Amino acid sequence: MTALKTLVKLEYSRYRLKKVHELLAGLALLAVLLPAGLFFPLSGITPQSPFLTAAMLLWIIAMGVSSIHMISFYGQRHKDWFLTFPAPRLTLLQAKALSLLKLSLRIAVPIFTAAAVLYGLSVLSGRYEPLSAFGFIYTLIAYSFLILTLLPLAIMSGLLVSVLMAIRSQALLLLLAFPYSLLWLAPIITAILLNDNATAAAFYESEYLSTQYMLIYSVILLILDLSAYYFLLPVIANKSFSMLPQPESKLAEGSPPSYTKPRGLARSARSTSSRSPLLSLYRLDASLLRSMERHRLVIGLKLTLPVLMAVAAYFLSGDLEAFLTFIGLPFALPVLFGFLWMMIRSSSSHKQLAWWLLFPHSRLRLLLSGVAAVWVTVMRILLVLFCSMLAGIAATQVIGSPAPYHISLYISWLWYSLVVYTLALTLGLGVLQSIYYLMRSKALLPLIFVMTMAVMLILPQISKYLYPEEFTSAPYPLWSIPGLAALIGLPLAMCCTVAGAKYFHLALGTNKEQAAKKQA
């Protein structure tokens, strides 16, 4: 057995489940994806749309898993031991990439199976005409090749996040982080943009998304895979591992280990020593987010974005349909940022979390302080967007109104959007805390992907079902659906938060015995 095979086997061992648990995880994934596919409108437009939607979903999962793996690697305790292996760092990175590819392929099996079953259910329900036997087999083969060539590129794109983390220039980092995030979230952004049946049908029925073109795309992706493997991976290995410190030397005999608090946390601790415990914890968590606001690009964005939103609201008020199509996107992006920040928060700050858990406060209070910091930050952005667009709408009454409807209609939809996306933010952040509960067992780990994707899909469903696609008269928003969602979702989010707080310590990556000792 070669060194690379040994390292791949070692890396993949962290993801290996018992056959029974793997079967149950696959069945659970099928049980979630099938109802979601029947509910998700983009998967029922053409016979090929379930398979294309599955490929888009696998891109998000594979790139997300690999990027989170690299982000969390810098905080793992075994990184020094891993880097001392007698193998080049390129080989170590290749082992990580191949183990992640193996994991992604195992995830792809139930997702692709769900797409095939969803095609059958859609045919039985009369959504579209069935394909011929040859056409169905041809579609399966074409999309299988597409997924097999798409996954390696997604994984290497996820590993590329370590190169961004090695950039020392904060301005350059922020400049490159935005297109990199768009690369990962391209399928979700596409789903948000396809918010009406006509646009979605035109997209999926395009000649360039036919089955014949999938084989051509597979060949192109194969060339990109080989190019990335031989040219991009050496760059990632050189840049990403160069930012890691050398393995720590042994501590002097009798000298206790030390831990230095981050500067922002230390300043907040001094400034909040006389405040309530929950407020102090909140300010400590919020200091990490406030440090991002001091970058020049962020300051420039804070100055220009309100003006752009006011101008856009002024001109779009002349077309109510365009106004309703546009209004959700500015609110959706900050909420999406909140979800992403919450997901990577625990995986990128293990040392801080170890220090955090030493605070003489309950796990629930520690967890709620982090949730509150993200919630308040996103709500500040949403309120700025709301006020900016409200000013643009009000300007139609001062400068001259291009609006064909009364100003109260636009204000109603603007207020409705703020409430709906605030509710989505609250529910999503609460449900995401259940990730810590799912860490308690390897059998539950696959459900983390299901949970995160379910939260991410909240935003496309808002634009699809809570805003009218067509109307003949001035429509006012209906509050029954958000009210029902709040009635059911808020208790669920609170239960997820309480359950996650009990197992908050599992984010440290300890085994069950160590975790039990820490919990005691």
Side-chain angles (χ1 to χ4, degrees):
M1 183 179 292
T2 63
L4 181 60
K5 289 183 178 180
T6 304
L7 290 171
V8 171
K9 185 177 180 181
L10 177 64
E11 277 290 305
Y12 184 72
S13 62
R14 73 179 68 196
Y15 309 117
R16 187 178 292 113
L17 299 175
K18 294 181 180 179
K19 291 184 177 180
V20 176
H21 293 164
E22 187 173 346
L23 178 61
L24 292 176
L27 293 176
L29 196 58
L30 281 172
V32 172
L33 290 176
L34 286 178
L38 292 173
F39 179 73
F40 192 55
L42 297 184
S43 60
I45 296 176
T46 65
Q48 292 81 18
S49 56
F51 303 100
L52 184 58
T53 305
M56 295 165 66
L57 179 61
L58 286 169
W59 170 270
I60 297 174
I61 292 175
M63 187 172 174
V65 169
S66 58
S67 59
I68 291 175
H69 174 80
M70 287 303 293
I71 292 173
S72 62
F73 176 72
Y74 299 105
Q76 292 174 354
R77 298 178 179 177
H78 71 274
K79 67 178 185 299
D80 295 334
W81 169 75
F82 182 78
L83 293 175
T84 56
F85 280 13
R89 293 193 169 181
L90 177 59
T91 304
L92 299 178
L93 187 65
Q94 289 172 343
K96 287 184 175 293
L98 292 175
S99 63
L100 289 168
L101 177 61
K102 188 175 180 180
L103 173 65
S104 300
L105 289 173
R106 298 190 81 111
I107 297 174
V109 172
I111 293 180
F112 195 75
T113 304
V117 175
L118 181 61
Y119 161 80
L121 294 177
S122 299
V123 169
L124 292 176
S125 62
R127 285 175 134 181
Y128 38 71
E129 294 296 325
L131 297 170
S132 63
F134 175 77
F136 179 67
I137 296 175
Y138 184 58
T139 300
L140 291 179
I141 294 174
Y143 279 93
S144 297
F145 280 123
L146 179 69
I147 291 174
L148 288 175
T149 53
L150 184 67
L151 288 178
L153 186 62
I155 289 170
M156 286 182 281
S157 300
L159 297 177
L160 193 62
V161 72
S162 57
V163 177
L164 296 180
M165 297 175 62
I167 296 176
R168 295 185 178 181
S169 174
Q170 296 176 341
L172 181 61
L173 175 60
L174 289 175
L175 186 63
L176 296 177
F178 181 71
Y180 181 80
S181 301
L182 292 181
L183 177 66
W184 177 38
L185 300 173
I188 295 179
I189 296 174
T190 303
I192 293 175
L193 295 177
L194 299 177
N195 60 350
D196 62 89
N197 292 332
T199 307
F203 175 78
Y204 276 98
E205 293 174 359
S206 172
E207 179 186 358
Y208 298 103
L209 291 179
S210 61
T211 307
Q212 293 81 2
Y213 276 89
M214 292 300 115
L215 294 176
I216 299 176
Y217 297 151
S218 300
V219 175
I220 296 174
L221 287 172
L222 180 60
I223 297 174
L224 292 176
D225 291 339
L226 295 175
S227 302
Y229 186 80
Y230 288 106
F231 297 104
L232 183 61
L233 275 188
V235 175
I236 298 175
N238 182 36
K239 296 294 184 180
S240 61
F241 289 137
S242 64
M243 67 179 289
L244 289 171
Q246 296 298 324
E248 297 177 358
S249 59
K250 292 183 179 180
L251 296 171
E253 186 176 357
S255 61
S258 61
Y259 176 73
T260 304
K261 291 184 289 186
R263 290 183 299 171
L265 296 179
R267 286 194 300 267
S268 296
R270 290 192 299 267
S271 63
T272 59
S273 57
S274 61
R275 300 178 183 269
S276 65
L278 185 58
L279 182 58
S280 301
L281 293 172
Y282 160 74
R283 290 178 65 88
L284 288 173
D285 261 313
S287 63
L288 299 176
L289 290 166
R290 285 198 302 270
S291 63
M292 299 174 59
E293 300 180 16
R294 291 192 288 268
H295 297 303
R296 293 180 179 178
L297 289 177
V298 177
I299 294 174
L301 189 63
K302 289 165 66 175
L303 295 175
T304 57
L305 188 60
V307 178
L308 294 176
M309 290 297 102
V311 173
Y314 174 79
F315 286 104
L316 288 175
S317 59
D319 186 350
L320 182 59
E321 185 175 356
F323 179 81
L324 294 180
T325 303
F326 165 80
I327 195 174
L329 186 60
F331 287 107
L333 292 179
V335 175
L336 184 61
F337 165 77
F339 291 162
L340 295 177
W341 182 268
M342 184 57 65
M343 283 190 290
I344 68 174
R345 175 176 172 269
S346 62
S347 60
S348 61
S349 56
H350 290 275
K351 290 184 178 179
Q352 178 190 331
L353 182 60
W355 169 73
W356 197 257
L357 291 174
L358 296 177
F359 277 35
H361 303 293
S362 65
R363 301 280 169 85
L364 180 59
R365 182 174 290 178
L366 294 174
L367 190 61
L368 285 177
S369 66
V371 175
V374 177
W375 190 89
V376 171
T377 301
V378 176
M379 282 305 303
R380 287 168 52 204
I381 302 174
L382 294 182
L383 288 174
V384 170
L385 295 175
F386 173 81
C387 294
S388 302
M389 288 189 280
L390 184 62
I393 295 173
T396 61
Q397 304 298 310
V398 179
I399 302 175
S401 175
Y405 300 103
H406 194 269
I407 188 175
S408 63
L409 178 64
Y410 297 93
I411 296 177
S412 298
W413 278 108
L414 188 60
W415 173 249
Y416 178 79
S417 301
L418 177 64
V419 173
V420 166
Y421 282 97
T422 300
L423 178 62
L425 173 68
T426 306
L427 297 181
L429 293 181
V431 172
L432 283 175
Q433 307 316 307
S434 63
I435 290 176
Y436 300 112
Y437 176 81
L438 297 177
M439 292 179 181
R440 63 193 295 264
S441 172
K442 285 187 176 182
L444 298 176
L445 289 180
L447 295 180
I448 294 178
F449 301 113
V450 178
M451 183 68 64
T452 54
M453 295 312 303
V455 171
M456 301 293 281
L457 288 175
I458 292 176
L459 301 179
Q461 301 310 312
I462 290 176
S463 60
K464 177 66 180 178
Y465 291 101
L466 296 185
Y467 293 88
E469 297 179 4
E470 299 177 355
F471 49 87
T472 56
S473 60
Y476 279 86
L478 297 176
W479 294 90
S480 57
I481 297 179
L484 182 62
L487 185 63
I488 299 175
L490 291 178
L492 175 63
M494 192 60 197
C495 291
C496 292
T497 304
V498 173
K502 185 178 180 181
Y503 297 93
F504 188 30
H505 55 277
L506 294 183
L508 290 170
T510 55
N511 56 37
K512 291 185 178 180
E513 289 79 7
Q514 292 172 330
K517 292 179 181 179
K518 287 181 177 291
Q519 188 178 12

